[in-house]
Amino acid sequence: MTSLVLLVPALAAAAAAGLLALRALRALPAARAEHLLAGLAFGLGLAGIAALGLAVAGRLRSTPIALLGAAALVAGGRDLVRACRALDPGVLRRAWPLVLVSALVLAAEVPTMLAPPVGGDQTKYQLVYPRLYALAGGLVPTPWSFWGHVQFLPNFVFALGFAASGEVLARLLNGTLGVAAALALATLAGRHLAPRAGAVAGALFFTLPISWSLMTHAGVDLAVVLYAALATTAFLAWVADGSGADLRRAALMAGLAGGSKLMGLLVPALLGAALLAVLARRAEPARRRVRPALAFGLLALLAASPWYVRNAAETGNPIYPFGYSVFGGRHWSSAASEYLRDYYRQYQTTWAERREGTPYAGLEVVSVPWDLTMHPDSFENGARQSMDVSPFAFAFAPAVLLVRRRRFAVLATAALGLGYAGIVAAAAWAHPRYVLPGLALVLVAGVPAARALLPRRLFAAAVALTIAGNLALTTGLLQPLWPDQVRVAAGLLAPAEFLRRHSARFAFWERANAEVPAAGLVLVLEKIPHPYYIERPFVLGSYLEQGLLDYRTLVTPEALAAAAHGLGVTHVAIQLAGLEAAGDPFEASVARLWRGFLIEECDPPLVREGGYALYTLRAETGPTALAAAATITRTDSCVLSEATTAVTPGLRPSAASDRNARLRDGVLEGAHRRSRLGRTHARLRPLAEPAADACGPDGARCTRPHAEHASTHHGAGLDFDDVEPRPG
């Protein structure tokens, strides 16, 4: 409950800062009633930038955050009070049924935010790295996974939540982005598309089953929806009135959309193209047309740039790991890019079978709207309801051609939405989450289209049936977690017990964390790791997401052990199912390597739980492992020279002897502080103290050593004590 209390001043400080900045930039909306939402959205963007700055400076702690919040409230307090007074309560009264339904949905979602996270991308990377940054008080080098560099505006807002209070505040901030996105879509519809129907648009979006999924699983997609909607609103206001304030606000919000996700860069690109088209139609001198276009581009670039600058500084690639052929990037390779593309292709092929189809190619992309509506489960390994976008947009979007009132605004909104979704579907993947910002704009444009097509009562019936259908599908998402999430929120169930019931990963890591000493370092061997529950320093050894351990050159257990010792690894954790994976030749070769590594280089398992196991890496004997590996390299049994190039980038294989000497001196003999990997270990050290740092005020995931953890659990999985080594 502490986090719920802290949420109010946190949002007040963000709104005050945003209003102050928009006023300084002369970018506030003309309607005072829209000031609060614009200020909050822009303030959350500033909060993400501030979190990145604090992390770079190593000051991502509660005290600096509190000081920044207090300064924002003092400086922007008057603007905040005026914005709150300008709100029109009559809007709520006129649309009370829709407001009531949305409020009930939100009330049902709050317990999911108060309980610990289970599964999804949030435990893979969306919350993992913000938590790491908060525990370390700054940025943590993560050369073992590119997901450490796919951290954008919302992730650093989550990092503020972690640093200030813990995971509950971080997840509540994600929920705030969802509520703000619904309000932004309602504002877009009510202001420019369909007067007195703004609440309809907001409720249609907020009650979508996919909206429930995104509200209850922290991520970045809702932020892109929010900023895309606000940027479109400001752009349409500029078209109508020609106000420079509206154009500046459109550029800033579009830039923040690009700063929220790599695909979000389509928002400033599409709005920039729309701006050029509008300017080209105006009978004005070329010089007067160039100035607004340049202003839009520069402001959008400025708002989007902090997270890309960070990536460029750390990896040499602003969009790391993508665009490797253009920018390059540390701890990555062309082969890794090709395998990542192959993996996503395999994933798409597997789930496309649910619609009895294949991944889209060429003109097949035109079937995306139908598949999104009728087969949303064919894009994801999950329940159909979790990706459902309702049939409203598909049914009524074609009717935008029948709209006569506010025709340009409706067509422009639909075109921006279709452009966004179409480009993503054709160039990347038509996953419902990926195309959601475009779908949201199409959905909003469908509201005036439905009003133009249907009589008033039939329109109301269509909206009511759509919302009822959305809610009916959403109820399928309540089991099995929601009843226990309510118990956690009510204080009737301990968060740790909740996680033991619903997360096999947590059950394993609770025991594994107690076995690994504070000075230990865990190597996690898993194709798609979800490391959120690890309370000890760790590195990820996935062959899909990193190039630090290059499994194309580390081809023997000895070579992998040498690399692990070079990183300072003491323990190895593995998902046992990965030892039999053979989806493609490369995956099969890594599985063989891992099996041999566990048999030949590790002691018997310390922990076996829920399909996972923890091993101790055997100590080095004789020459250092890296020196031994260098000898193996010279006998052509292992090409460690290329593998260690990933550890120390920028060196040619001919420099292997010098490089190995530096690694031996800088890593194996304990001089970690002089090396990048040493700084990684130092930054990760707070994870070794769960009693002090990992136990937040909400009490989640407080792990303590137990006597029973010392015994080995012989549960489901392979028993490697009796398995003969296989050829590597």
Side-chain angles (χ1 to χ4, degrees), residues 535-713:
E535 304 289 356
R536 289 293 186 258
F538 64 90
V539 294
L540 305 181
S542 169
Y543 50 94
L544 178 66
E545 299 169 356
Q546 55 84 38
L548 180 64
L549 299 173
D550 189 350
Y551 294 101
R552 295 166 185 83
T553 55
L554 296 172
V555 294
T556 66
E558 296 85 355
L560 180 55
H565 281 298
L567 295 173
V569 170
T570 60
H571 292 74
V572 179
I574 191 163
Q575 185 180 26
L576 297 174
L579 296 173
E580 298 299 329
D584 55 71
F586 179 59
E587 184 174 68
S589 70
V590 174
R592 289 194 299 270
L593 174 64
W594 284 356
R595 289 196 299 266
F597 172 68
L598 294 178
I599 295 167
E600 299 175 21
E601 303 295 336
C602 297
D603 292 329
L606 295 171
V607 175
R608 299 279 289 276
E609 178 83 37
Y612 300 86
L614 176 73
Y615 297 78
T616 301
L617 181 65
R618 290 176 188 152
E620 300 169 271
T621 57
T624 67
L626 282 176
T631 302
I632 296 173
T633 300
R634 288 191 294 272
T635 62
D636 294 328
S637 297
C638 171
V639 191
L640 185 63
S641 61
E642 295 181 17
T644 51
T645 302
V647 179
T648 309
L651 297 178
R652 295 185 300 276
S654 61
S657 59
D658 292 340
R659 175 180 56 254
N660 291 338
R662 285 197 296 274
L663 286 171
R664 183 178 63 251
D665 295 338
V667 178
L668 297 179
E669 295 183 4
H672 295 288
R673 298 183 186 276
R674 295 195 299 272
S675 69
R676 183 177 181 82
L677 291 170
R679 290 196 297 274
T680 301
H681 299 165
R683 286 281 179 85
L684 287 170
R685 197 56 56 197
L687 293 179
E689 303 172 9
D693 292 321
C695 300
D698 300 292
R701 298 188 330 282
C702 294
T703 59
R704 299 288 188 273
H706 298 288
E708 64 268 25
H709 291 170
S711 63
T712 301
H713 176 68

Side-chain angles (χ1 to χ4, degrees), residues 231-603:
T232 303
T233 302
F235 171 75
L236 294 176
W238 171 77
V239 172
D241 303 329
S243 170
D246 293 327
L247 184 61
R248 286 188 289 272
R249 190 171 69 262
L252 292 169
M253 297 301 180
L256 292 179
S260 297
K261 187 174 185 175
L262 185 58
M263 291 179 183
L265 290 172
L266 285 173
V267 176
L270 290 170
L271 277 177
L275 170 68
L276 292 175
V278 171
L279 290 173
R281 292 183 59 188
R282 294 183 175 178
E284 296 179 350
R287 184 175 57 184
R288 294 187 61 182
R289 285 181 286 177
V290 168
R291 288 185 60 188
L294 287 177
F296 179 92
L298 290 174
L299 283 175
L301 180 63
L302 180 65
S305 62
W307 303 274
Y308 298 99
V309 170
R310 176 243 170 161
N311 282 349
E314 292 192 359
T315 71
N317 181 350
I319 58 173
Y320 183 87
F322 307 102
Y324 181 84
S325 61
V326 177
F327 300 105
R330 304 181 186 99
H331 306 299
W332 199 245
S333 65
S334 297
S337 295
E338 292 173 5
Y339 187 66
L340 188 64
R341 284 194 296 270
D342 290 342
Y343 164 75
Y344 279 116
R345 190 71 175 178
Q346 293 172 18
Y347 190 91
Q348 295 172 47
T349 301
T350 298
W351 301 112
E353 293 177 358
R354 289 181 174 179
R355 62 174 181 267
E356 299 181 354
T358 58
Y360 304 107
L363 293 178
E364 291 179 1
V365 77
V366 299
S367 64
V368 166
W370 173 265
D371 292 335
L372 285 172
T373 305
M374 306 306 295
H375 302 287
D377 55 331
S378 66
F379 298 92
E380 178 74 31
N381 179 19
R384 182 195 190 284
Q385 305 95 304
S386 63
M387 295 291 110
D388 191 89
V389 296
S390 96
F392 190 90
F394 182 69
F396 295 110
V400 296
L401 300 175
L402 303 178
V403 174
R404 292 294 177 261
R405 297 183 59 191
R406 302 173 182 258
R407 182 176 176 82
F408 174 82
V410 172
L411 291 177
T413 301
L416 289 170
L418 287 172
Y420 187 101
I423 292 172
V424 171
W429 184 14
H431 191 289
R433 281 194 296 107
Y434 295 173
V435 300
L436 184 63
L439 285 177
L441 294 178
V442 174
L443 178 69
V444 169
V447 172
R451 288 183 63 178
L453 185 66
L454 301 174
R456 182 174 180 179
R457 291 186 178 180
L458 192 54
F459 169 76
V463 170
L465 287 174
T466 300
I467 292 177
N470 290 344
L471 296 179
L473 284 174
T474 299
T475 58
L477 299 172
L478 298 181
Q479 295 293 340
L481 296 180
W482 193 74
D484 279 348
Q485 288 170 330
V486 173
R487 295 185 183 98
V488 172
L492 302 177
L493 182 66
E497 179 59 30
F498 167 81
L499 286 170
R500 292 186 198 106
R501 292 183 183 182
H502 300 289
S503 175
R505 282 189 174 91
F506 175 82
F508 165 72
W509 280 111
E510 184 180 39
R511 297 184 61 202
N513 290 330
E515 293 288 349
V516 179
L521 182 69
V522 183
L523 172 63
V524 182
L525 301 181
E526 190 174 352
K527 184 174 185 178
I528 305 177
H530 288 245
Y532 185 77
Y533 306 116
I534 307 177
E535 304 289 356
R536 289 293 186 258
F538 64 90
V539 294
L540 305 181
S542 169
Y543 50 94
L544 178 66
E545 299 169 356
Q546 55 84 38
L548 180 64
L549 299 173
D550 189 350
Y551 294 101
R552 295 166 185 83
T553 55
L554 296 172
V555 294
T556 66
E558 296 85 355
L560 180 55
H565 281 298
L567 295 173
V569 170
T570 60
H571 292 74
V572 179
I574 191 163
Q575 185 180 26
L576 297 174
L579 296 173
E580 298 299 329
D584 55 71
F586 179 59
E587 184 174 68
S589 70
V590 174
R592 289 194 299 270
L593 174 64
W594 284 356
R595 289 196 299 266
F597 172 68
L598 294 178
I599 295 167
E600 299 175 21
E601 303 295 336
C602 297
D603 292 329

Side-chain angles (χ1 to χ4, degrees), residues 12-297:
L19 288 166
L20 184 66
L22 288 176
R23 181 160 61 84
L25 294 168
R26 295 179 297 148
L28 283 167
R32 287 186 174 274
E34 298 177 18
H35 283 197
L36 184 60
L37 179 59
L40 175 61
F42 194 62
L44 289 172
L46 294 177
I49 296 173
L52 176 58
L54 290 174
V56 170
R59 295 292 183 269
L60 189 62
R61 299 293 187 191
S62 57
T63 299
I65 294 170
L67 292 174
L68 285 177
L73 284 172
V74 170
R78 290 185 178 180
D79 292 313
L80 178 61
V81 171
R82 286 195 293 266
C84 291
R85 287 177 177 174
L87 295 176
D88 180 11
V91 174
L92 301 181
R93 289 195 299 268
R94 289 190 292 272
W96 70 265
L98 295 170
V99 173
L100 178 61
V101 169
S102 299
L104 291 175
V105 171
L106 179 60
E109 290 168 341
V110 168
T112 70
M113 304 173 199
L114 299 180
V118 175
D121 286 348
Q122 59 182 350
T123 60
K124 177 183 178 183
Y125 63 94
Q126 299 284 18
L127 293 179
V128 170
Y129 297 95
R131 176 173 173 266
L132 280 179
Y133 302 156
L135 289 172
L139 292 179
V140 176
T142 55
W144 28 261
S145 176
F146 68 69
W147 290 115
H149 290 95
V150 189
Q151 301 296 301
F152 292 99
L153 184 160
N155 302 108
F156 281 92
V157 172
F158 301 157
L160 281 181
F162 275 106
S165 178
E167 69 181 13
V168 172
L169 182 56
R171 283 159 60 78
L172 288 171
L173 288 169
N174 176 74
T176 298
L177 291 170
V179 174
L183 292 173
L185 292 168
T187 301
L188 170 60
R191 177 91 156 82
H192 296 289
L193 309 181
R196 298 184 299 279
V200 171
L204 284 172
F205 173 80
F206 195 68
T207 59
L208 289 177
I210 192 174
S211 295
W212 171 282
S213 298
L214 297 178
M215 288 282 291
T216 57
H217 294 78
V220 302
D221 300 282
L222 290 172
V224 184
V225 175
L226 167 63
Y227 292 116
L230 290 177
T232 303
T233 302
F235 171 75
L236 294 176
W238 171 77
V239 172
D241 303 329
S243 170
D246 293 327
L247 184 61
R248 286 188 289 272
R249 190 171 69 262
L252 292 169
M253 297 301 180
L256 292 179
S260 297
K261 187 174 185 175
L262 185 58
M263 291 179 183
L265 290 172
L266 285 173
V267 176
L270 290 170
L271 277 177
L275 170 68
L276 292 175
V278 171
L279 290 173
R281 292 183 59 188
R282 294 183 175 178
E284 296 179 350
R287 184 175 57 184
R288 294 187 61 182
R289 285 181 286 177
V290 168
R291 288 185 60 188
L294 287 177
F296 179 92

